[in-house]
Amino acid sequence: MRLSDLRGRSVAVWGTGREGRAAVTAVAAHGPAALVAVDDSANFLSLDWSGPLAEAAPLVTGEEGFARLAAADVVVRSPGVPQTHPWLVELRRRGGTVTGGSALWMADHAARTVGVTGSKGKSTTSSLISHLLTALGRPNVFGGNIGVPLLDLPEAELYVLELSSYQCSDLTDSPRVAVVTALFPEHLDAHGGEREYYRDKLNLLAHGPETVVVNGTDERLAAELGDRPAVRAGRPDGFHVAPGPDGTPWFHAADRPLFARTTLPLVGAHNAGNLCVALAVLDALDVDVPARSDEVAAAVAGFRGLAHRLTEIADPSGLTFVDDTLATSPYAAMHAIDAYETRPLTVIVGGTDRGLDYTPLREHLAEREITVIGIPDSGPRIVEALAGLPRVRTELADDLVAAVRLARKLTPADGVVLLSPAAPSYGRFRNFEHRSEVFAEAVRDTA
């Protein structure tokens, strides 16, 4: 379904955040017979819905919203509306037409798009792809889940998008190059379960992409793909990391060395894997990476990591403090821990308790010497899951500031204090940015 297909039809846009506002503006420009905006969230009374938005689509709030959704020919769902929402379940039971702004946009732009999703690494990988393409003379527009709704993007010859599972779930067109970086259980409450989450995530690949690029070292992703044709980055026959001419790790294209691993200023094996995926995407877009390896290396060296993802904070004590607040699952925290496996490490865990299973984290730390500090709400449960591991020291703290203070006492001077909470931020913080701000302030105030 395209935006042009909405002409003359009654449309309800469900959600009034950035995505919903972009959808109202875009749909209104295509001449629907009727257009309303629906918001059933708890904060609808504080919404500023005025001016052109209100003129284009009157706002319906509270319980009345379902009747307006059910009466519409087409419902345009914002990504923040979970698949498990009772209204959405009922609309689909009745056979209603439900789509999303991302799906409407993709229907018109798929052939010019690189779409990147994954349970971990999608932001860094999509940013790398966009950065490298720009440096190599391939202008592109970067957007999606990273902050710019697709329906707000300007016209361009090439797009690079970060796409969430919520955005992928509604797609009926796949991008020209569809990319998956990793797969593990995440956002299960919003999707209805692990199988449903994988289904929605991998819907990115379900509608005829020209090329599929995946992290070929991710076992769960490999199991879900089966024998589906795909470029599997990270394997010896493609872009991967192996000893180079000087015996240190280098990035390679099959058996051809490209440049040293140290060229990439991001720590962690997972970030090396993200770059391998990005290089495979460049190859799919007809960039001769081996022939232009010097240019590619210069661009890689100029890439700066995204905020809140293994962001190091300088400290006069000699300790390295690391903000990885976007690690909201045990699997993401495991990647972060591995990035500092050669140094004494204290990791701060805990946040909103979604009932996740922390057994994988316990298994990952079974042979590791590490200190783990748990903070509310889920921290005590994580610490309990690690009980009995012979080389894991566990402590509890009342809050993040107290955890930073305790970490200073417990971590050797050459060590690392890592905030990789394995849980979301909501509840005790306004958002993940607020959690990062509190962490950085605590580092400064306890120095």
Side-chain angles (χ1 to χ4, degrees):
M1 177 175 290
R2 290 174 159 79
L3 280 165
S4 58
D5 295 329
L6 302 180
R7 184 176 304 277
R9 307 178 76 177
S10 63
V11 180
V13 173
W14 188 0
T16 54
R18 282 182 301 189
E19 294 276 354
R21 289 165 182 254
V24 164
T25 301
V27 173
H30 284 78
L35 178 61
V36 297
V38 173
D39 194 301
D40 65 306
S41 65
N43 65 347
F44 66 81
L45 292 175
S46 64
L47 285 172
D48 176 19
W49 196 263
S50 57
L53 285 171
E55 294 173 10
L59 177 61
V60 179
T61 59
E63 292 299 320
E64 182 187 348
F66 178 73
R68 302 303 293 270
L69 294 172
D73 295 328
V74 179
V75 172
V76 180
R77 175 185 72 97
S78 293
V81 178
Q83 297 283 9
T84 53
H85 194 297
W87 289 5
L88 186 56
V89 172
E90 177 61 16
L91 286 172
R92 286 182 165 147
R93 188 192 69 80
R94 296 184 182 189
T97 300
V98 181
T99 187
S102 298
L104 292 169
W105 183 93
M106 191 68 76
D108 286 320
H109 298 86
R112 292 177 276 160
T113 299
V114 176
V116 183
T117 196
S119 304
K120 177 72 175 173
K122 61 183 179 294
S123 299
T124 297
T125 303
S126 56
S127 298
L128 262 170
I129 294 166
S130 177
H131 170 81
L132 295 176
L133 286 169
T134 300
L136 295 170
R138 298 285 295 275
N140 61 91
V141 168
F142 182 43
N145 187 57
I146 204 160
V148 182
L150 272 59
L151 289 171
D152 277 346
L153 295 177
E155 281 299 311
E157 294 183 4
L158 181 63
Y159 299 90
V160 178
L161 306 179
E162 180 202 334
L163 297 170
S164 70
S165 53
Y166 312 119
Q167 291 171 306
C168 290
S169 64
D170 290 323
L171 297 180
T172 53
D173 300 86
S174 290
R176 171 185 171 185
V177 182
V179 184
V180 187
T181 60
L183 204 60
F184 54 73
E186 181 69 299
H187 306 303
L188 303 189
D189 50 344
H191 291 272
E194 186 170 342
R195 295 305 321 157
E196 291 79 6
Y197 168 68
Y198 295 159
R199 175 202 66 204
D200 290 346
K201 200 76 163 168
L202 296 178
N203 189 49
L204 180 73
L205 316 179
H207 307 286
E210 181 178 301
T211 306
V212 173
V213 177
V214 301
N215 174 2
T217 67
D218 187 295
E219 294 181 0
R220 185 176 285 102
L221 179 53
E224 292 295 323
L225 289 176
D227 58 0
R228 180 189 181 114
V231 177
R232 299 173 191 258
R235 294 185 174 184
D237 59 347
F239 293 98
H240 69 286
V241 177
D246 59 2
T248 67
W250 277 52
F251 289 97
H252 289 67
D255 59 356
R256 180 170 175 176
L258 299 174
F259 45 83
R261 166 64 180 87
T262 54
T263 305
L264 177 66
L266 304 183
V267 300
H270 65 292
N271 278 321
N274 291 336
L275 179 55
C276 290
V277 171
L279 295 176
V281 171
L282 264 60
D283 182 72
L285 294 174
D286 301 320
V287 175
D288 191 338
V289 175
R292 304 179 68 179
S293 60
D294 289 346
E295 292 176 82
V296 175
V300 168
F303 181 75
R304 294 295 172 261
L306 303 176
H308 320 299
R309 299 163 178 85
L310 294 180
T311 303
E312 297 189 355
I313 302 172
D315 189 77
S317 69
L319 291 173
T320 301
F321 287 85
V322 182
D323 172 15
D324 195 42
T325 191
L326 282 173
T328 58
S329 77
Y331 298 93
M334 287 151 52
H335 283 302
I337 289 167
D338 286 349
Y340 295 95
E341 62 183 355
T342 62
R343 297 177 63 184
L345 180 61
T346 298
V347 59
I348 300 171
V349 299
T352 307
D353 195 340
R354 296 180 293 170
L356 295 178
D357 178 13
Y358 288 99
T359 302
L361 181 62
R362 177 186 175 87
E363 294 171 350
H364 194 71
L365 298 181
E367 304 300 325
R368 224 13 230 274
E369 185 169 345
I370 189 172
T371 298
V372 178
I373 301 175
I375 61 175
D377 294 321
S378 60
R381 195 164 67 81
I382 298 173
V383 163
E384 182 180 357
L386 303 178
L389 293 179
R391 304 177 68 192
V392 176
R393 175 177 181 173
T394 58
E395 302 282 349
L396 293 175
D398 290 337
D399 54 33
L400 183 52
V401 175
V404 170
R405 189 177 297 115
L406 179 58
R408 283 194 179 276
K409 297 177 181 178
L410 300 179
T411 311
D414 60 340
V416 175
V417 178
L418 169 66
L419 172 63
S420 195
S425 59
Y426 45 81
R428 293 179 178 264
F429 301 94
R430 293 190 301 274
N431 46 41
F432 69 86
E433 292 98 341
H434 182 213
R435 180 161 62 182
S436 288
E437 291 169 9
V438 171
F439 179 63
E441 289 173 6
V443 171
R444 289 192 298 268
D445 292 347
T446 60

